[in-house]
Structure formats: C-alpha cells, structure tokens
Amino acid sequence: MISSKSLVVIILQLIQALLAAAITIYIARLLGAENYGKYIYMITATSLLPLFIGLGGEHVFIMEASRDMNLLPVFFSNAVFIRSVLTAVALVVAIITCFAFRVNDSWPFMLVLAGSLLAVFPNPLFLSLYRVKGIHIRPWVLLFITPLFFIGYLFLYRNMIDLSVVSTGFFFSQFIVFVLFIIDTRRIVEFKVDFKFLKMNVRKGIIFSVSQAFDFAFARLDIFMLQFLLGPFSVGIYAAGQRVVSLLQLIPSSFHIVELPEFHRISHDKQRLEARFRSLRKLLMELAMLCFGLLIINASYIVTVLFSDLYTDTVHIVILLAVSSAIVFVNYPYYMLAEAVNKIKQRMYVRIATFILTILFIYVMVQLLGTTGAAIGLITGQFLFMLFLHRLTKSENGGLLAIVKDFKFLPVFAILAIMSWSVKLVVSSSLTGALLSSFLFLVTVTIFEITINKGDIFKLVKTLKEQINSNSHDEGISGTE
C-alpha cells in the first residue's frame, strides 16, 4: 500500500499554493500594473538559473543515500557545497553585470536574484535530506514561514510600498527560512565534504540537470509556441485554462516527494519494485480520473465564474488539458522507476526526443485548430513520452498485460462522468447542475470503488488519520526528535 504521508504533503502544498496566490494578488494591488509587471519579470527572469545551478546534486543525493544511508552525510554535503559555490559565483557575476551595464532597477533585481538563489536551498536541496530520512511534515511546516513572513511584511509596509520594498521583503522571507533550515539540518546530519565523490556527483548531476531543463521547457512549450504562432490574446485564453488545471499537479508531485526514496531503496528487489510501481501507477490514475472527471464535468461553470465572456474558448482548453494532466499523473511513477533502475541517461534522451516531436505536434495542430490545437499537441506529446518510458522500463513495469489489468476501471469512470454530466442538461440553474452532477459522480465512483474495484483511493483515505498520528510521533512535531 502506498504511504498516506503523500496526502499530508498534498494538503500542505495546497495551502502553500493558496498562500502564494494570495501574496501575488496582494502585491499586484499594492504595486500597480507597471511596477507589478517589473516585479513579475524579475521573478521570471531569475527563476531558471537557481534550478540548474546545483548541477543536480540533490537528485544524486536522493538516489545514492536512499540505497546506502552510510553515504548520506557525504552526498548531502557535496550537494550543499556545489550549490553554495556556484550560488556565490552567480551573485558576483550578476553584481558586476548590473554595475557594468547600468541595469535599470538593479537593486531590486539583485535582491530578487539573491532571494531566488536562496529559495532553492530549502526546496529542493534541504528537502531532499528530509525525504531520504522519511521526515515529511516538519520541513513543510518550516516552509510555511516564507509566505507568512512575506505577507506580514507587505501588510506592515503597505503605506510605503514600491518595487524596492517588495524585493527586500522577498529576499528576507527567503533568507530567514534558509537560516532556519541550516540550523535544523545540522541536527540531522554532519557536514562532511568528500572531494573523492565530488566528481561523480557532478557527472551524474549534469545528466539530471539537462533532463530537468528539458522537463522545465516541455512544461511551458505550449505557451511559447502559442506566443510565437498566435500572439498574446491566444496565450491569455490558453493560460487561463492552464491555471485552472495546474493546481491539481500538486498531487503527483507530492507522491513523488514521498515515494522516490522508497523506489531507490527497493531497486535491488525487482518483484517489490514492480509491485510498488504498479500500485502507485494505479492509484494515481484513479486519482486523476476522480479529480479531472469532476473538473471536466464542471469546466463550463468554473470558467464562467472565474473569467469574463472573452474566455468562452477556455472551456475546451480546460477539458483538453485535464486529459493531458491525467497522462502526467501516470508518467510520474515511470520517472521514478527509470531512476531506480539507473536509466537516467536514457530517460533524458527520451525527453529530448519527445520535446522535439512535441514542437512539431503543437505547430501542426495550432495551424489546423488554433488555440485548442496546442492542447491537443501537448496531449500527443505526453502520451508519446509515456509510451517511450513504458518501453524503456518494460522489464520492470509488468508489460502491456499489467496496464490492461490495472486500468480496466477506466471505461467505467468515463461512463460515470458522462452520466453525471448529462444531469446538467435537465437542470436550468448552472450552479444547481454543477452541484448535482458533482454529487452524482462522487457517489457513483464511491460505490464502484468500494463494491467492485476495491481501489486504492479509499484504502488510502481510511489509513490517513492513523498515518498522521504516527507522523506526529515519529517526526518529532512535539520536539522530541
């Protein structure tokens, strides 16, 4: 059974995402359109470098330390050392560049850059240590300090707000949490750099970094292509739908946080690895069908409530991106399986090939169908990537027969969704129709899961309370650790 700690992480990530959204709206109101645009551009421009400046050290640490806990201090320390050195170099280069070229708003830019570089120390670097140690609540509690401090700071200085004030708050909100994580991690691991392993860290880490770079670009490929082919209006229509769907991506990413170390720990046991992979794949597909089924049923109502009449076409985008995201749910276990069986480089090649092919898919479909074509092209690319990953790990994933057996419930979910959606056709009120169709879908899925499918969703929910209680004891919420 997949650990229900993942549900706790999902809830904590969801709360953080809502806080981040509230802060974004608050800053937009305080700064005004022009300065807010400058701030968002700074955040966007400085967000890419921190992701790769660690050369994948945290990924190497998770892989190696999960398999041999004796190596934990060395690989974690090496990862911290690499990121610290390259962060210092990046800051020096940025300072020299700003002074040499007299960059506008250089002081706010430097504060945002420094804050962005510090932000990736707690997550993902320090968080990787907690993941390997099996501590999944305490680090997320610490991470809450960032948005809470920032929103309190903004409220305190609301009457004298400008770009410099907001940038300063952003920097200090990241700096405080960085210091707290340094103090807390010192209680868990002894810092011990080993230059003998450092070269291996960098060599393996670069592969992770390149793969991550293409993952990052792939996730934004549809937006880039639409901007290039159709312009900002189409991007706005599409991005609105993407925003509705994107919050649900916290679900598979939370399972990834909890489960990846476990995949590495059992990588030597093919039977256990296959069983865990299939269990997680089935669970995530069931969750995807439940969540995106509700979203598709209510897509029209959600778009009408959230956006203006200009966004009518966003309904189709939400439905298509829900399908694409359901495939992403299934892809996550394949990511973990490929890493666990040391097919990291092959996975990178698959991602690069799929990236290139998806550019072609989106280009052709946009020419034929306009904005919705981008979503269809993305679905094609995601599905192709899943097929490549399945073939790459075919000796460990149970093969085609396992997919047929594990996903035999999909037609039933589809029928229940269509049946529930049809209720809206005989109800005049859109709100009443949305509530009734959602209720019918949840009830029929629950009956199906409990009586026929015996699915993992409700097994997971049933053990959540017990798992939270054990986490509270084991992870030292009371301060005993």
Side-chain angles (χ1 to χ4, degrees):
M1 179 64 189
I2 300 300
S3 171
S4 57
K5 292 179 183 178
S6 303
L7 286 181
V8 180
V9 177
I10 290 171
I11 294 169
L12 293 173
Q13 279 195 307
L14 178 60
I15 297 172
Q16 279 209 331
L18 293 174
L19 280 173
I23 290 172
T24 300
I25 295 170
Y26 192 40
I27 291 175
R29 292 172 64 90
L30 291 174
L31 283 179
E34 183 176 350
N35 282 329
Y36 176 67
K38 291 180 180 179
Y39 176 72
I40 290 298
Y41 176 77
M42 290 178 184
I43 292 289
T44 304
T46 60
S47 64
L48 187 59
L49 179 63
L51 289 175
F52 313 121
I53 206 169
L55 298 181
E58 57 270 11
H59 299 287
V60 177
F61 163 71
I62 291 174
M63 180 173 66
E64 299 295 342
S66 297
R67 297 173 181 180
D68 186 352
M69 293 295 284
N70 293 323
L71 295 174
L72 187 149
V74 170
F75 280 95
F76 178 72
S77 300
N78 285 353
V80 173
F81 176 77
I82 292 169
R83 184 171 286 279
S84 299
V85 170
L86 293 180
T87 295
V89 171
L91 281 174
V92 170
V93 171
I95 291 171
I96 294 173
T97 302
C98 284
F99 277 109
F101 293 94
R102 297 181 181 180
V103 176
N104 292 332
D105 299 312
S106 58
W107 176 245
F109 178 80
M110 289 306 308
L111 287 171
V112 170
L113 175 61
S116 297
L117 289 168
L118 287 177
V120 291
F121 276 89
N123 183 18
L125 179 55
F126 292 150
L127 185 60
S128 66
L129 173 63
Y130 295 93
R131 293 169 67 182
V132 173
K133 296 286 287 186
I135 303 172
H136 297 292
I137 294 179
R138 192 166 79 223
W140 288 99
V141 173
L142 289 175
L143 285 170
F144 271 111
I145 296 173
T146 297
L148 292 177
F149 174 87
F150 196 16
I151 201 166
Y153 170 92
L154 292 171
F155 181 78
L156 182 64
Y157 287 95
R158 64 190 183 280
N159 294 325
M160 57 184 72
I161 209 77
D162 61 15
L163 195 57
S164 294
V165 172
V166 173
S167 302
T168 302
F170 174 75
F171 169 75
F172 277 108
S173 66
Q174 305 299 338
F175 178 76
I176 289 172
V177 175
F178 168 76
V179 172
L180 290 175
F181 267 95
I182 288 288
I183 295 171
D184 195 55
T185 53
R186 292 290 292 169
R187 299 167 53 201
I188 301 174
V189 64
E190 179 185 359
F191 192 75
K192 185 180 179 182
V193 176
D194 191 324
F195 291 95
K196 182 178 68 175
F197 286 101
L198 197 60
K199 184 177 180 181
M200 184 184 75
N201 276 57
V202 173
R203 186 174 63 250
K204 286 188 176 181
I206 287 174
I207 296 174
F208 277 111
S209 292
V210 173
S211 182
Q212 188 179 23
F214 277 94
D215 287 341
F216 185 86
F218 187 92
R220 291 153 180 79
L221 186 57
D222 42 359
I223 294 292
F224 290 143
M225 293 292 289
L226 277 175
Q227 177 67 32
F228 174 73
L229 295 172
L230 297 181
F233 180 80
S234 294
V235 171
I237 297 296
Y238 189 91
Q242 192 179 61
R243 177 62 64 182
V244 172
V245 177
S246 62
L247 194 61
L248 293 172
Q249 292 300 331
L250 293 174
I251 295 174
S253 69
S254 297
F255 279 97
H256 183 270
I257 288 171
V258 175
E259 294 297 325
L260 181 59
E262 299 302 323
F263 270 66
H264 285 300
R265 289 191 183 103
I266 62 174
S267 59
H268 62 282
D269 189 332
K270 183 177 178 180
Q271 186 174 358
R272 287 180 62 198
L273 184 63
E274 180 183 326
R276 195 171 193 93
F277 163 77
R278 289 181 59 184
S279 178
L280 181 58
R281 183 179 63 180
K282 183 174 182 290
L283 171 61
L284 285 175
M285 177 51 83
E286 290 186 33
L287 286 171
M289 294 299 294
L290 178 63
C291 295
F292 293 118
L294 284 170
L295 184 60
I296 290 172
I297 288 170
N298 297 296
S300 179
Y301 179 75
I302 291 171
V303 171
T304 301
V305 170
L306 294 180
F307 306 105
S308 68
D309 294 339
L310 292 173
Y311 291 87
T312 304
D313 290 340
T314 299
V315 175
H316 306 107
I317 302 300
V318 169
I319 294 172
L320 291 170
L321 289 181
V323 175
S324 176
S325 293
I327 300 173
V328 174
F329 270 51
V330 179
N331 281 344
Y332 265 91
Y334 281 109
Y335 299 162
M336 291 183 266
L337 183 61
E339 285 189 29
V341 297
N342 286 319
K343 293 184 177 179
I344 306 162
K345 186 180 293 186
Q346 293 92 326
R347 177 190 173 277
M348 178 185 70
Y349 294 149
V350 165
R351 172 56 87 189
I352 294 172
T354 309
F355 177 82
I356 295 171
L357 290 172
T358 305
I359 292 176
L360 299 176
F361 295 150
I362 294 177
Y363 179 83
V364 172
M365 296 310 300
V366 168
Q367 296 295 332
L368 293 174
L369 300 173
T371 307
T372 55
I376 295 173
L378 189 65
I379 291 173
T380 307
Q382 293 286 16
F383 184 71
L384 185 63
F385 186 48
M386 184 185 73
L387 292 179
F388 282 157
L389 287 178
H390 181 80
R391 181 165 180 79
L392 182 65
T393 58
K394 62 180 180 179
S395 60
E396 294 86 16
N397 61 35
L400 184 60
L401 289 177
I403 291 180
V404 174
K405 182 179 179 180
D406 295 343
F407 291 173
K408 60 186 179 183
F409 60 88
L410 290 181
V412 178
F413 270 76
I415 292 170
L416 294 178
I418 294 171
M419 181 178 67
S420 302
W421 174 82
S422 64
V423 172
K424 300 167 69 173
L425 300 177
V426 295
V427 178
S428 57
S429 170
S430 57
L431 175 60
T432 303
L435 292 175
L436 284 177
S437 59
S438 299
F439 178 75
L440 179 60
F441 183 68
L442 287 173
V443 169
T444 52
V445 166
T446 300
I447 294 172
F448 171 69
E449 283 277 302
I450 293 175
T451 60
I452 301 175
N453 191 42
K454 307 294 183 183
D456 288 331
I457 294 178
F458 295 98
K459 296 176 186 175
L460 193 65
V461 174
K462 185 178 179 181
T463 60
L464 177 59
K465 182 178 178 180
E466 179 182 320
Q467 195 65 232
I468 293 175
N469 290 335
S470 67
N471 284 345
S472 299
H473 175 73
D474 295 341
E475 299 184 13
I477 297 292
S478 61
T480 58
E481 187 175 6

